[in-house]
């Protein structure tokens, strides 16, 4: 029997899909025959990504959207649902940033990580409920499940996202919508956070890299593989889970 992810003809919305893990996820979905709509804050980055995704006949569109702009963000999600006719897959990659621990950072991380997820879900659920394969994937981090550097808003609110995802799965399951979370470990891609750490603080990068049993950070493509599987009909009986994709970086025993 031939294995298939069942992505052909599916309609996917990726919040934060113009670069890094989001971009790799969009490429896999388009390659599998899905129609994809992406957004990010920078219009030029979105335009470049859409052009690349469409270059070989892929069906992709995009817009510059800030998830902290409630009205604009929700309107974009709704416009995607109307333009594509439905939404089968919602993947939310939008994320706050780590490092800072002041009150402004708490607020910024809350608005992006938590409200970015909640607003997107609320806007998309009416469309996902009409799908025969409705699926939501949210993006957390291994910083949420194990001590990582220091107490900070990024870690705490990524942990809150896992709880939100699990409980959301129980609530929308009766509408035929699955909800899962992916928690990557430190992931390297050109221009990403760990690329900047490597350039600005190579000793920190090397310390983190030495924590991987395989001796290297993960790639955007390796994380995207897991995201797309969970989002796809191939994972039709998987919901309410948090999938850690970290190459063994975290040392806790997972039950």
């Amino acid at each position: 029997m031939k294995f298939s992810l069942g992505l052909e003809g599916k309609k996917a919305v990726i919040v934060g899909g113009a670069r890094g893990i989001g971009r790799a996820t969009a490429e896999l979905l388009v390659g599998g025959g899905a129609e994809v709509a992406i957004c990010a804050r920078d219009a030029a980055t979105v335009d470049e990504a859409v052009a690349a995704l469409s270059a070989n006949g892929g069906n992709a569109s995009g817009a510059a959207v800030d998830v902290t702009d409630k009205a604009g963000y929700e309107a974009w999600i709704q416009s995607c649902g109307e333009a594509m006719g439905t939404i089968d897959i919602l993947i939310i990659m939008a994320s706050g940033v780590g490092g800072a621990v002041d009150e402004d950072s708490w607020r910024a991380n809350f608005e992006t990580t938590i409200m970015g997820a909640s607003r997107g879900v609320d806007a998309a659920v009416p469309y996902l409920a009409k799908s025969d394969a409705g699926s939501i994937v949210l993006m957390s981090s291994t910083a949420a499940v194990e001590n990582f550097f220091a107490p900070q808003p990024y870690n705490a609110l990524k942990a809150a996202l896992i709880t939100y995802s699990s409980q959301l799965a129980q609530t929308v399951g009766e509408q035929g919508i699955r909800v899962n979370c992916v928690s990557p470990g430190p992931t390297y891609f050109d221009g990403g956070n760990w690329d900047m750490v490597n350039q600005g603080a190579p000793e920190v990068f090397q310390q983190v890299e030495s924590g991987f049993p395989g001796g290297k950070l993960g790639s955007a493509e390796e994380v995207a593989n897991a995201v797309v599987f969970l989002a796809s009909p191939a994972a039709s009986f998987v919901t309410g889970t948090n999938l850690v994709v970290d190459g063994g970086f975290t040392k806790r025993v997972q039950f």
Side-chain angles (χ1 to χ4, degrees):
M1 181 173 63
K2 185 177 180 181
F3 178 73
S4 170
L5 291 178
L7 294 170
E8 187 71 35
K10 294 293 182 286
K11 316 295 184 180
V13 172
I14 307 177
V15 178
R19 59 192 294 270
I21 298 170
R23 171 73 170 269
T25 298
E27 290 171 352
L28 287 173
L29 288 168
V30 167
E35 179 179 354
V36 175
I38 67 169
C39 77
R41 285 178 294 183
D42 181 66
T45 305
V46 172
D47 290 345
E48 185 277 327
V50 170
L53 291 167
S54 305
N56 295 315
N59 195 346
S61 62
V65 176
D66 185 342
V67 301
T68 67
D69 172 11
K70 175 176 165 49
Y73 177 33
E74 291 176 345
W76 178 72
I77 295 279
Q78 291 162 2
S79 72
C80 291
E82 295 301 317
M84 295 192 295
T86 189
I87 297 175
D88 299 298
I89 295 169
L90 173 68
I91 299 171
I92 300 183
M93 300 277 184
S95 175
V97 295
V101 296
D102 58 17
E103 286 196 10
D104 287 343
S105 181
W106 278 99
R107 293 188 184 96
N109 272 270
F110 175 77
E111 278 293 319
T112 304
T113 299
I114 301 301
M115 297 312 299
S118 176
R119 289 166 180 157
V121 167
D122 288 348
V125 159
Y127 299 95
L128 290 160
K130 297 175 184 177
S131 170
D132 61 359
S135 174
I136 299 170
V137 178
L138 304 180
M139 183 62 61
S140 185
S141 166
T142 54
V145 302
E146 192 173 83
N147 285 339
F148 189 61
F149 288 117
Q152 55 183 298
Y154 177 87
N155 300 1
L157 290 167
K158 285 293 191 180
L161 191 67
I162 296 172
T163 299
Y164 169 68
S165 172
S166 176
Q167 296 180 358
L168 181 65
Q170 297 297 319
T171 301
V172 300
E174 63 186 19
Q175 299 179 67
I177 303 170
R178 296 183 300 109
V179 186
N180 291 290
C181 207
V182 172
S183 290
T187 304
Y188 182 92
F189 55 90
D190 291 343
N193 291 337
W194 287 101
D195 184 13
M196 290 186 284
V197 170
N198 192 29
Q199 294 181 43
E203 69 284 355
V204 174
F205 183 89
Q206 290 164 12
Q207 176 189 351
V208 170
E209 188 175 51
S210 68
F212 287 84
K216 70 177 184 66
L217 276 67
S219 69
E221 292 75 17
E222 287 172 317
V223 178
N225 286 336
V227 173
V228 171
F229 168 70
L230 281 181
S232 77
S236 60
F237 204 55
V238 182
T239 193
T241 193
N242 175 44
L243 178 59
V244 174
V245 186
D246 72 343
F249 182 73
T250 54
K251 303 303 185 283
R252 67 194 180 111
V253 177
Q254 297 180 44
F255 291 98

